[in-house]
Amino acid sequence: MATLILTSCGKQDDFYSVTKIIYIQDTIFVNEPFDFRLVLRNDSLNKMKFTIDDTVQKSVFFNLFFRCNDQLLRSDVENPNNLKHNYQEYHLKNGDSLSYRLTGILRQVNNSLQMQIGGYQRIYKIENTPCDRLTIDFGGMWIPGDFNPLDAMQGYNFRKNIFVSLDTTKAAFSKK
């Protein structure tokens, strides 16, 4: 019995080879917005193709891990509602880059903290916990618009560990 696998005939997005950079501050403060940039830079000699949604937040999956005193905290996250895409194709030559400026905020809401990224439909929520040191492993993965269906989408990631200001953390997560 023959099996036929259909894949895209053209060149697919190359998130494996591109240099993925996140520029984000080392410390954030509760209830204060912060800016960060995601950059895709072609450091290779070959031309690279990327298919990215006009709303770049639909082409990125943020993977945030919250730690209180080095203990992993479980965060509740809802899935997005709007999955429609308006993809644009970009071709980067050696030295070219795409740069996206985004804004986030970690805010106190009642007895929890919520991390929200502007234009991103997922909100990360953690409950009140006694905490002296709160950190966020701020990572994520680019999601190709033109991909190979046999690709498990590993290796498209960016990551940086950031701290939440201890003064605001103690106010938000007061010891009991």
Side-chain angles (χ1 to χ4, degrees), residues 23-111:
Y23 293 105
I24 190 170
Q25 59 201 53
D26 293 330
T27 302
I28 62 170
F29 301 90
V30 175
N31 296 323
E32 291 185 22
F34 60 92
D35 292 331
F36 64 99
R37 277 189 316 137
L38 297 177
V39 177
L40 298 173
R41 187 178 64 218
N42 183 357
D43 291 330
S44 78
L45 298 177
N46 301 320
K47 192 175 192 180
M48 293 181 172
K49 179 182 82 79
F50 300 98
T51 311
I52 298 174
D53 195 278
D54 271 349
T55 306
V56 71
Q57 294 89 330
K58 290 183 182 180
S59 290
V60 177
F61 174 78
F62 289 98
N63 198 12
L64 307 181
F65 293 100
F66 299 85
R67 292 189 182 279
C68 174
N69 303 330
D70 295 324
Q71 180 181 359
L72 185 63
L73 300 176
R74 182 181 174 281
S75 62
D76 294 324
V77 185
E78 294 183 18
N79 286 325
N81 297 325
N82 182 355
L83 299 176
K84 293 181 182 178
H85 290 279
N86 184 19
Y87 287 120
Q88 302 299 318
E89 199 170 281
Y90 301 91
H91 297 271
L92 302 182
K93 297 179 286 194
N94 173 265
D96 287 349
S97 64
L98 295 170
S99 181
Y100 300 96
R101 180 175 224 90
L102 303 170
T103 300
I105 187 166
L106 179 65
R107 71 180 79 199
Q108 184 173 358
V109 178
N110 297 325
N111 206 23

Side-chain angles (χ1 to χ4, degrees), residues 67-71 73 111 113 126-134 166 169-176:
R67 292 189 182 279
C68 174
N69 303 330
D70 295 324
Q71 180 181 359
L73 300 176
N111 206 23
L113 288 178
I126 56 174
E127 294 303 317
N128 184 355
T129 293
C131 192
D132 289 322
R133 182 175 183 235
L134 181 64
L166 289 175
T169 302
K170 287 182 181 176
F173 281 166
S174 60
K175 291 195 173 196
K176 296 179 179 177

